[in-house]
Structure formats: C-alpha cells, structure tokens
Amino acid sequence: MKEYQTDNIRNVALVGHQSCGKTSLVEALLHSAGATSRMGHISESNMVSDWDDEEKERGLSLSTSLAPVEFDDVKINVLDTPGFTDFQGELKNAILAADSVIVVVDAVSGVEVGTELAWEYARLSEQPIMVVVNKMDRENANYEAVLDQLRSQFGDYKFIPITLPIGQQADFSGIANALTQKAYMGAGAERSDLPDEYADALEEAHMELMEAAAEADDDLLEKYFEEETLSFDEIREGMRRASRSPELKTVPVFTTSATENIGAIPLMEALIAYTTAPSERRVNVMRGAEADVLAAPHSDDDPLVAYVFKTLNDRFVGTLNYFRIFSGAISSDGRYKNADSGADERFNSLFVMRGKEQLPVSTMHAGDIGVVAKLSETKTGDTFLDSESDIRVAAPDFPAPLYMLAVAPRGQADSAKMGPTLSNLCDADPTLRWRQDGDTRQTVLEGMGQIHLDVTLKRAESLGVGIDTYMPKVPYRETITSDAESSYTHKKQTGGAGQYGRVDLKVEPTIDGFEFESSVFGGAISQQFVSSTEKGIRAVLPDGVIAGFPVERVKVNVFDGKEHPVDSKDIAFQIAGREAFREAFRKAKPVLLEPIMDVKITVPETMMGDIMSDLNTRRGRVQGMDTIGIKSVVTAEVPLAEMLRYGNDLRSMTGGRGIYTMDFNRYDRVPQYVQDDIIAAVEAEAAQ
C-alpha cells in the first residue's frame, strides 16, 4: 500500500446495533473500490473484517477491525466496530481513533439500544456524526419511518438527507443524490438522470441541504440570501462545518443496501467530501495531571502524539498494537517513547491491516492509522511520543464490568501461565479485569457479559492456557445484631508444663470494620496475654463463624480472665480468645450481609412491565423510573447474588435490546429465609 499524506486520509468508525450490516457495508466499500474481487457474506464466513475463527463461528463481530479503502487517491480508514453491547470498550476506543462516526441503522428495525449507546459515545467524544440507513432492500424497510424515528429520538440534532432511496424493499434499485440531483442505479459508479417521479422530492432535499450548509458560515449565509444558491463545493464545505459544530449538530443521512452493493460508491464519495482531514482533529489530552486539548491543525512536523487504541495477542505473530497518529509521523525502525510505561520501543515492523492481511509501509503520516508488531511494554490506552514531553491522550471512561466468572487452571502446566496470560488480555481490553478474591478464595475474571468472557477464555486457550470456569461465590459478610458475653477456659495437661488460659469477653455491633479493646483491670490477664487473646480472635475473622465468610462490624471487649503463673502461654490465650469469641458470636444473633448494587436498566418502553416484574423476583427495590424518547430507564437497588447472570436474562427478555450498568452501593442484611439456604449450602459443600 502506498503512503498517503494527511490531507488524503479520512478516518471513520462504523458503529451501530448488532446485525445492522456494518461488516457487510465494509465488504461493499472494499469491493466497490477494487480492493477485493468478490464480496464476502456472513453465511460463507469469508468477510474481510470478521476474520477471526471465533467471529466466523458466531457470525458476529467481536472486536474492532481496520479496513483501509483506497478511492479517488484518498485512503479511508474504516474501523468496523462490534455492535454487541459486551464490547463497549472496543466501540469507545474506535470512536476516539476516528474523526467521524458513521451510525449504521437498520431500515427495518430502526433505532435500537445499540444505536443509542453508540450515539451517546459519539456525542460525549464531540465527534461529527453521519447516518447510513442500511438494508433498504429488505422486506418492511421504510426510509421515511427511520428518518422520523431518528428525529424523534435525537431531537436536538438536525438530520439532512444527502442520498435518498430509489424504491424500497424489493423495488430498491438505486440512490438519488440531493446535491447533484443525479441517480446511481444498482452497484455502478455511473451517474444517470433522475426518474421523473423523484424530481420534486429531490429538489426539496436539495434546498434543505443548501440551507443547512449556509447556516454554518456567515459568508455562505449572506451569499445564499443574495443569490439563493450555492456551488457544490460551498455546500460540501458548509456541511463539513455544520456537522462539526456543537451548536448546529447537523447530521448528513445516506442510504444503502450493503449486501446488494447499492449506494457504496456515493457513500465513499461522501466520506471524502463531507468528512474532514485528520489534521483538523482536536483531541483531549493530559499534560501531567492537567487536562488540556491538542489543538488543530496537525502535521508531520509537529511532535509525535500517537494513541494505542487496540491490542491483539496472537500465539504465533505475537502482540499487534493498533495506533492512531494525532500529530507527527512514524517510520519503521524508529524508536519512540511510551509515555505511560516510560519505555523506549523500537518499531521494527510497521504495516497497515486490512482485516487480517498485513500491508507493510515504511512511513505513516499525521492522522493515519497503523499497526506495529512485537512491542514489549505497550498496552491499549498508551501514548507514543518522540520527545520528553509529558503529554498523554486522554482515554475514554470505560464502563465497569458487569459479569463475573471464577476461573482456575485446567492442569498443572496451565497454573504458571494463567496469571500472565490473563494480565496480557486485560491490558489489551480496558473493560476486562481479573483479581484474586480474598473473601471467596477464588480467582475472578470480570467483563461486560458472558460472550465477552467466553471470547476471552477462547483467546487464552489459543495462547496455550487451558482455563476452567465456575460460578463465582458472592462475597457475603458475617456480623451480629445484639450484645452477648462468653467465657472460655482452655486447660490442657499432658505431663510437665500444661496450657491454661481463661477469657471473658463481650461482643457488640459496631458501624464498620472490627474493633478490639480490653477493660481488664487488677492484673487478671497480663498485657502480653491480652495481645495473645486479640491474635486468636483476629484469626477467626477471615473464615467467619456461621458460614465461612469474613466477620465485620463487631466490637470485642475483653473484660476479665485468669492466667496461671506456670501454665499460661501465648497459645493458650489464643485458643481461649478464639473459642470465647465464637461462642459469644453465636449468642449475639448473627446474620449474613450481602453486597447491594445500584443498577440502571435501559429498555424499550413496551418492555417496562416485564423488567419491573423481574426485579421484584430478584428482591430489587426500584428507586426511580424515567422515560427518554421511546426508552425507559429504571434505577434500582438489587443484591449482587441476584445479578450474577442478569445480562443473559435481560438479553433473553428484551431480545438483546436492553442494557444495564451496575455499581457497588453497600452491604445489607440478608433475609432470614435466604440466609438459611446459604448456610445449608455451605454446610453441604463442607460435608462433601
């Protein structure tokens, strides 16, 4: 692949709900540009973007794929993002790496939850948005209905049709361009005269387009008022400005049928004409601890600032780091500083990826997107520099994990490799975490959903590590609800010096943590044995008393005891303290505490009743409800034990149209009937 200068590069992220046709649209763009000899199809598992074996098997995009399209001496770097809500990290980083966001909407299903999610991320990133209404050839496709839904759902944006469909559903045969008022019939690049029946609609769309462009610039507006017309170039320039304006919020709208390859060529022409060169991109950065902005314009002559937005681990190729150059240039065999790790990394292999195909290049210019192999100390979210500045690209705010699995190495050989492999996978994916849970003594892998973790474990296996999974245990706590006293004497005589210690203590509830105090007076227990008593009590805390869970919110007061001048030893008072505490704990009406989560669920309004009913069965407490457009948002407090597999259930209830977030709130008391079942289960497991 030849080198492209900054002005001849465009970076776009294809986003949208799953199955809206993003990957098929990439196939149409590549084929229309001559990069492929035939279009791939999802049923044939031969798509350029979905090249991973797991993606082929599932028929689903699982990670962001890069597909550069060369058209009219411009390279359009297309980032094909997964629409499945488990992969929000991939989506957010792709939007950061691009300069325009193309929201693909299904002409049949219209605006869905994934559409809204992608739209919100684009809005927060202050990125220009374009819309492609895809699948116009499908039964029940309705362009006008989708346009009305977009205007209703995102009412503060102005939607301006650039291309209109010629026919719909089985009659969909071509695209009409509102700017040139010409038609593209079928998959061809030839323009033809518009059918007469579309003349009025297209003239109206042309006027709307011209007015939207004029509003973006005072000079254009003045000319439009004086002459009532603008040139094609003036309209394109006005639309570029209007789409970038946070006040105007103008969204150009296009229409396609990706599988029939109708509309791909006018869309590529539009991506060149209506999106800006990467030199005009502003990006949020951190200078030390201070937030700042890397202002436009950018060029090769500026200091290097490049952001790693994706990392791919391959057992045979090694690590591949995908990066976006915001300013400066990168050459193969160059050395660049990782601002996050502090390491100097050598870029031995520099290339562009088209799916899995590697296209070597020697230099990449400001604004371009490329890949480097085999870096040793670089992960997703890092920034590369060629100077000693302390600038770093500000990474997006990634959502907290929602789904957990307990994991364990499958065999002895996997034991040593599991930790480093999980660390590498988590470094590559900011929405993935793993930790050792001291409360449950499990290794816990956390992600955005079941498919997310399934894919992660498959990747670990491909890297040579076998991992078994289990249902994670809920980190319950044990505490007491009343005061109680106990006395315990430890006496052991086996010939010679024996063991003796008596401890009298009181337990009472406290607000948080664990407190120990001694009110022993008169020398009943010497200070060294008070310390031994505390040591014995603290040894009980991690494993609990009634069900094997850590103890908290307890205050212990040792108020009396007895020691022997010869037989009292450290171990005797440890045992006496431990057993006295256990007895008092059981008398003090012990209970279990469980983690309570703040849950926010977004679903179509028609599904609200099902969600509310389901929350009731999960012991949830609804805190509020809100309606945003055609969506309903429920906030509730729900025990973590009831939410461990909620992602699967929500997807089943809503057909994949519901999403949720979950954050820890507090620990609260477990109802008695639930507590009895938990204790019984623990006892049964111990018996086995």
Side-chain angles (χ1 to χ4, degrees):
M1 177 174 283
K2 72 175 186 178
E3 292 181 18
Y4 285 85
Q5 300 297 322
T6 304
D7 289 342
N8 290 337
I9 297 171
R10 300 291 186 271
N11 299 313
V12 300
L14 291 186
V15 305
H17 195 76
Q18 65 193 74
S19 303
C20 64
K22 299 183 294 296
T23 303
S24 297
L25 186 56
V26 173
E27 289 293 321
L29 296 175
L30 289 170
H31 183 63
S32 296
T36 58
S37 58
R38 65 185 293 266
M39 285 178 56
H41 195 276
I42 192 168
S43 63
E44 300 173 7
S45 300
N46 60 351
M47 313 282 269
V48 171
S49 291
D50 288 355
W51 55 269
D52 184 78
D53 289 340
E54 191 72 10
E55 291 177 315
K56 292 178 181 179
E57 182 179 329
R58 293 180 182 271
L60 192 70
S61 295
L62 302 174
S63 66
T64 298
S65 184
L66 174 62
V69 178
E70 298 174 280
F71 184 77
D72 281 356
D73 291 325
V74 173
K75 180 170 74 165
I76 307 170
N77 287 316
V78 180
L79 295 170
D80 180 18
T81 68
F84 203 71
T85 54
D86 280 11
F87 303 98
Q88 296 175 39
E90 297 273 345
L91 172 64
K92 280 197 162 190
N93 259 335
I95 289 175
L96 173 58
D99 299 313
S100 295
V101 177
I102 314 300
V103 180
V104 183
V105 182
D106 190 322
V108 180
S109 303
V111 176
E112 299 178 86
V113 169
T115 316
E116 297 169 354
L117 192 67
W119 197 285
E120 179 64 12
Y121 289 163
R123 184 189 66 78
L124 291 173
S125 300
E126 299 179 342
Q127 291 276 51
I129 301 174
M130 304 169 75
V131 168
V132 173
V133 181
N134 190 31
K135 300 188 178 182
M136 282 302 305
D137 60 310
R138 298 294 178 88
E139 185 179 351
N140 297 322
N142 191 323
Y143 175 80
E144 292 297 335
V146 172
L147 199 56
D148 289 343
Q149 191 181 10
L150 286 164
R151 287 168 172 159
S152 171
Q153 193 75 6
F154 309 107
D156 53 340
Y157 286 82
K158 183 186 295 184
F159 295 87
I160 306 298
I162 306 290
T163 62
L164 284 74
I166 297 177
Q168 293 193 110
Q169 303 178 39
D171 297 328
F172 181 59
S173 57
I175 298 296
N177 190 311
L179 177 63
T180 62
Q181 295 188 288
K182 294 291 185 178
Y184 294 80
M185 304 306 295
E190 296 298 322
R191 298 186 179 103
S192 60
D193 290 333
L194 195 70
D196 292 339
E197 62 267 29
Y198 292 94
D200 291 341
L202 209 62
E203 177 63 27
E204 182 180 339
H206 180 77
M207 295 301 297
E208 186 179 7
L209 172 60
M210 193 155 44
E211 290 171 4
E215 289 179 0
D217 183 86
D218 291 341
D219 292 338
L220 292 178
L221 188 61
E222 185 176 343
K223 179 181 178 182
Y224 178 66
F225 282 145
E226 289 177 357
E227 302 179 16
E228 297 185 352
T229 188
L230 298 174
S231 69
F232 289 175
D233 287 341
E234 287 170 334
I235 291 174
R236 293 184 181 113
E237 175 60 25
M239 284 299 293
R240 281 196 293 270
R241 295 186 183 185
S243 62
R244 293 204 313 270
S245 169
E247 291 80 23
L248 295 177
K249 296 183 178 179
T250 303
V251 179
V253 181
F254 305 88
T255 184
T256 61
S257 167
T259 54
E260 298 298 320
N261 197 12
I262 299 177
I265 288 177
L267 179 59
M268 286 189 291
E269 292 175 346
L271 292 178
I272 296 171
Y274 293 101
T275 62
T276 55
S279 57
E280 299 302 314
R281 173 71 185 280
R282 296 170 73 254
V283 62
N284 294 323
V285 297
M286 300 295 295
R287 296 185 186 273
E290 300 294 324
D292 200 358
V293 172
L294 191 66
H298 309 294
S299 71
D300 289 4
D301 298 329
D302 295 322
L304 175 68
V305 177
Y307 176 75
V308 178
F309 66 91
K310 175 182 171 67
T311 301
L312 191 64
N313 296 294
D314 187 277
R315 188 176 185 179
F316 303 104
V317 178
T319 301
L320 300 178
N321 294 111
Y322 291 62
F323 60 86
R324 155 68 194 264
I325 305 174
F326 285 101
S327 70
I330 287 179
S331 299
S332 60
D333 292 328
R335 298 187 72 91
Y336 304 100
K337 177 186 175 183
N338 185 318
D340 295 87
S341 68
D344 282 336
E345 297 273 30
R346 187 175 186 85
F347 281 46
N348 292 313
S349 303
L350 189 64
F351 42 83
V352 169
M353 299 286 285
R354 180 176 285 148
K356 67 177 179 180
E357 182 184 6
Q358 299 179 4
L359 308 172
V361 291
S362 58
T363 302
M364 305 201 75
H365 301 277
D368 212 344
I369 294 177
V371 179
V372 60
K374 299 180 180 178
L375 300 184
S376 59
E377 297 184 55
T378 296
K379 63 181 186 300
T380 300
D382 287 354
T383 300
F384 282 112
L385 309 172
D386 60 3
S387 65
E388 292 302 317
S389 68
D390 59 353
I391 190 171
R392 289 175 293 111
V393 175
D397 292 326
F398 295 104
L402 299 170
Y403 194 90
M404 297 183 292
L405 282 175
V407 296
R410 186 167 298 154
Q412 189 65 33
D414 302 311
S415 183
K417 295 188 291 183
M418 186 178 80
T421 299
L422 289 179
S423 294
N424 288 337
L425 292 171
C426 291
D427 286 343
D429 185 346
T431 60
L432 198 63
R433 301 176 192 169
W434 79 280
R435 57 185 169 84
Q436 299 285 357
D437 192 319
D439 295 340
T440 63
R441 294 181 176 83
Q442 291 181 315
T443 301
V444 178
L445 181 63
E446 300 177 316
M448 299 305 297
Q450 180 179 352
I451 290 182
H452 187 202
L453 294 191
D454 285 350
V455 169
T456 299
L457 294 171
K458 283 286 183 69
R459 287 174 180 161
E461 195 162 343
S462 71
L463 294 171
V465 183
I467 298 177
D468 292 326
T469 63
Y470 308 90
M471 176 71 82
K473 297 177 182 177
V474 176
Y476 293 107
R477 300 282 192 269
E478 297 181 12
T479 191
I480 55 176
T481 57
S482 67
D483 300 352
E485 294 183 3
S486 179
S487 176
Y488 188 88
T489 301
H490 174 69
K491 184 188 298 185
K492 186 176 182 182
Q493 197 71 40
T494 57
Q499 296 179 8
Y500 180 86
R502 194 192 86 196
V503 172
D504 297 345
L505 59 76
K506 177 182 178 181
V507 296
E508 57 185 281
T510 188
I511 296 175
D512 198 13
F514 171 78
E515 298 177 23
F516 176 87
E517 67 179 23
S518 171
S519 59
V520 176
F521 65 93
I525 307 177
S526 59
Q527 183 56 45
Q528 72 179 91
F529 293 137
V530 170
S531 298
S532 300
T533 302
E534 180 180 1
K535 185 177 179 181
I537 293 170
R538 287 188 178 275
V540 178
L541 302 183
D543 295 320
V545 178
I546 60 172
F549 299 106
V551 170
E552 65 174 35
R553 302 185 190 180
V554 176
K555 179 180 179 180
V556 176
N557 177 27
V558 176
F559 61 85
D560 201 0
K562 188 176 180 181
E563 62 182 70
H564 189 277
V566 176
D567 291 346
S568 287
K569 296 179 176 64
D570 172 72
I571 187 64
F573 275 92
Q574 282 193 45
I575 295 172
R578 182 182 68 203
E579 297 306 321
F581 176 71
R582 284 175 171 166
E583 283 186 9
F585 194 92
R586 291 190 181 98
K587 294 177 184 177
K589 299 179 181 177
V591 296
L592 292 181
L593 302 174
E594 63 182 343
I596 304 297
M597 313 302 288
D598 287 326
V599 180
K600 183 178 179 181
I601 307 163
T602 303
V603 294
E605 192 173 5
T606 56
M607 299 175 180
M608 173 68 87
D610 293 339
I611 297 302
M612 298 290 287
S613 176
D614 180 69
L615 285 175
N616 287 333
T617 67
R618 297 175 187 273
R619 301 188 281 126
R621 303 173 187 169
V622 175
Q623 304 295 304
M625 293 176 286
D626 196 10
T627 300
I628 304 174
I630 61 172
K631 304 298 178 185
S632 292
V633 180
V634 183
T635 54
E637 293 179 351
V638 191
L640 174 62
E642 306 290 346
M643 297 295 293
L644 290 176
R645 295 295 176 263
Y646 186 66
N648 297 345
D649 297 336
L650 181 65
R651 192 166 289 122
S652 176
M653 284 188 291
T654 64
R657 302 184 67 193
I659 58 173
Y660 76 108
T661 60
M662 184 170 66
D663 296 293
F664 173 77
N665 181 305
R666 67 185 187 281
Y667 268 88
D668 211 347
R669 183 172 172 176
V670 176
Q672 187 63 47
Y673 72 95
V674 177
Q675 177 173 311
D676 293 342
D677 291 342
I678 295 169
I679 294 174
V682 170
E683 291 175 347
E685 183 179 349
Q688 291 178 358

